[in-house]
């Protein structure tokens, strides 16, 4: 592993490489970002209210907080659909991708998935490197109708609405009258968001443990995620899809895993061994080298292979 903070001072060539990848902004990205609140406190949900106006507070369990972000995101994604003149669909089954679907007048679909993670801190108080998981690489990417709304071929773009937050230890799980809502201590705080095309956030490692999930790159700050500065941003969406469609599954045999790859350099070597490779391995190596120069020029702490 290498990290941008372990590199020497960028040379003029490296600084030039830093201009190869501009911050990604398209109509979907800019439209949603324009609708979002600017105050991080506006992302804080503190409980569930019943008809008697009692607030039932909740803790900082990541599943509960993640669901809270999905609830908040729903309102803004609906506004996004209205502003663009698209139809809005929400997933009715938790295991079916994506969380939200925007349908264009021509019938083409846009996927929006909500992801969240919390900060961990080093002993000096600095944020440790974090990442997000981006869904399975063994379902709809390999079987276009598995665990997905419609068919994968129906989609023209895939976006991720990512939330980063800090857990607090001040909360209390209890029931409070809505008149005393100001007394409730939030279970999480310091929310930062990124909204970006999925392939621009993807890294070259699975997202967690022994699950077959795509992981993002790792960083110590949200800025690279907000920029859309993953390695596939320069390599391209076609390479992203081909890489993860061929990444070894946990269920594969040891021989099958050994014959494939575990990171982008290994992928380039694997491509050279294929009789019908869709990409030129040397070209991708050069592009990836330019990407690493770009990260160094930016001074971001991104872990790379």
């Amino acid at each position: 592993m290498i990290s941008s903070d372990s590199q020497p001072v960028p040379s003029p060539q490296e600084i030039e490489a830093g201009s190869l990848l501009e911050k990604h902004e398209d109509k979907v990205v800019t439209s949603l970002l324009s609708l979002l609140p600017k105050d991080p406190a506006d992302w804080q949900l503190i409980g569930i209210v019943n008809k008697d106006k009692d607030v039932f507070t909740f803790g900082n369990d990541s599943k509960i907080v993640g669901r809270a972000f999905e609830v908040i995101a729903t309102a803004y994604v609906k506004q996004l659909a209205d502003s663009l003149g698209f139809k809005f669909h929400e997933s009715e089954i938790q295991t079916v991708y994506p969380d939200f679907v925007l349908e264009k007048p021509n019938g083409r679909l846009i996927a929006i998935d909500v992801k969240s993670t919390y900060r961990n801190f080093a002993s000096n108080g600095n944020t440790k490197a974090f990442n997000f998981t981006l869904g399975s690489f063994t379902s709809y990417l390999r079987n276009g109708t598995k665990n997905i709304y419609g068919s994968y071929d129906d989609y023209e773009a895939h976006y991720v609405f990512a939330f980063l937050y800090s857990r607090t230890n001040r909360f209390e799980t209890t029931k409070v009258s809505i008149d005393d809502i100001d007394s409730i201590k939030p279970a999480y705080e310091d929310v930062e968001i990124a909204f970006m095309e999925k392939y621009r956030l993807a890294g070259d490692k699975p997202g967690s443990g022994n699950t077959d999930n795509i992981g993002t790159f790792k960083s110590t700050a949200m800025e690279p995620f907000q920029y859309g500065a993953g390695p596939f941003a320069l390599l391209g969406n076609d390479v992203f899809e081909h890489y993860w469609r061929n990444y070894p599954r946990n269920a594969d045999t040891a021989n099958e895993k050994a014959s494939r790859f575990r990171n982008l350099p290994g992928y380039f070597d694997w491509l050279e061994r294929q009789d019908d490779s869709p990409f030129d391995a040397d070209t991708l190596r050069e592009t990836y080298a330019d990407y690493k120069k770009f990260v160094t020029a930016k001074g971001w702490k991104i872990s790379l292979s």
Side-chain angles (χ1 to χ4, degrees):
M1 302 290 286
I2 66 171
S3 178
S4 61
D5 61 345
S6 66
Q7 299 298 298
V9 176
S11 67
Q13 291 79 14
E14 289 171 328
I15 294 174
E16 181 180 353
S19 65
L20 290 172
L21 186 61
E22 298 297 329
K23 182 178 181 179
H24 178 62
E25 293 182 328
D26 59 26
K27 189 174 182 179
V28 176
V29 171
T30 57
S31 296
L32 181 69
L33 293 180
S34 70
L35 297 170
L36 301 182
K38 307 304 180 186
D39 185 351
D42 290 341
W43 294 109
Q44 289 178 331
L45 294 188
I46 54 177
I48 301 168
V49 182
N50 65 14
K51 290 185 177 181
D52 293 330
K53 298 183 179 180
D54 296 316
V55 182
F56 294 83
T57 63
F58 54 77
N60 61 17
D61 181 276
S62 57
K63 291 182 179 179
I64 295 176
V65 177
R67 181 56 184 153
F69 289 135
E70 291 178 21
V71 170
I72 301 175
T74 302
Y76 294 110
V77 176
K78 283 183 176 179
Q79 290 181 41
L80 171 66
D82 290 341
S83 70
L84 296 175
F86 299 163
K87 294 180 181 178
F88 170 85
H89 304 280
E90 186 174 4
S91 177
E92 297 180 356
I93 304 174
Q94 188 174 6
T95 57
V96 171
Y97 173 86
D99 292 320
F100 308 112
V101 174
L102 304 185
E103 183 179 348
K104 301 178 69 173
N106 64 2
R108 298 290 288 162
L109 306 179
I110 295 172
I112 298 178
D113 228 21
V114 178
K115 302 296 180 183
S116 60
T117 193
Y118 56 88
R119 298 178 184 87
N120 284 305
F121 298 95
S123 57
N124 61 5
N126 292 338
T127 301
K128 293 183 178 180
F130 60 88
N131 70 331
F132 300 87
T133 58
L134 299 180
S136 172
F137 58 81
T138 63
S139 56
Y140 49 83
L141 266 180
R142 305 190 188 201
N143 177 344
T145 59
K146 183 178 180 181
N147 295 338
I148 187 172
Y149 178 94
S151 170
Y152 192 78
D153 290 339
D154 296 333
Y155 291 81
E156 68 175 41
H158 302 259
Y159 293 84
V160 174
F161 202 161
F163 293 82
L164 175 69
Y165 63 96
S166 294
R167 287 170 152 179
T168 71
N169 295 315
R170 302 188 302 273
F171 67 88
E172 180 183 2
T173 304
T174 185
K175 183 180 77 171
V176 178
S177 168
I178 199 168
D179 295 331
D180 298 321
I181 195 169
D182 289 339
S183 69
I184 299 174
K185 304 298 183 183
Y188 64 92
E189 61 189 1
D190 298 332
V191 178
E192 292 184 82
I193 65 100
F195 183 69
M196 186 54 56
E197 283 194 81
K198 180 191 290 189
Y199 80 94
R200 293 175 177 269
L201 300 183
D204 63 353
K205 305 287 193 308
S208 58
N210 294 322
T211 59
D212 290 329
N213 283 312
I214 299 169
T216 66
F217 59 86
K218 288 188 175 182
S219 176
T220 58
M222 276 294 269
E223 184 183 10
F225 294 96
Q226 295 163 341
Y227 196 100
F232 291 103
L234 208 54
L235 293 168
N237 185 60
D238 289 343
V239 175
F240 158 75
E241 291 185 343
H242 188 258
Y243 179 91
W244 284 107
R245 281 174 175 148
N246 290 280
Y247 196 90
R249 302 168 302 169
N250 276 295
D252 289 341
T253 67
N255 287 339
E256 287 172 329
K257 292 176 181 178
S259 68
R260 299 241 171 180
F261 50 87
R262 286 294 187 180
N263 53 30
L264 277 166
Y267 171 70
F268 304 146
D269 294 341
W270 176 80
L271 285 176
E272 286 185 323
R273 301 193 299 269
Q274 308 309 303
D275 295 331
D276 56 350
S277 173
F279 310 107
D280 180 71
D282 286 336
T283 299
L284 294 186
R285 285 192 186 96
E286 292 175 5
T287 301
Y288 186 53
D290 287 339
Y291 169 76
K292 290 194 284 187
K293 292 176 183 177
F294 157 79
V295 170
T296 300
K298 282 291 187 180
W300 286 331
K301 295 179 180 178
I302 294 179
S303 297
L304 306 171
S305 297

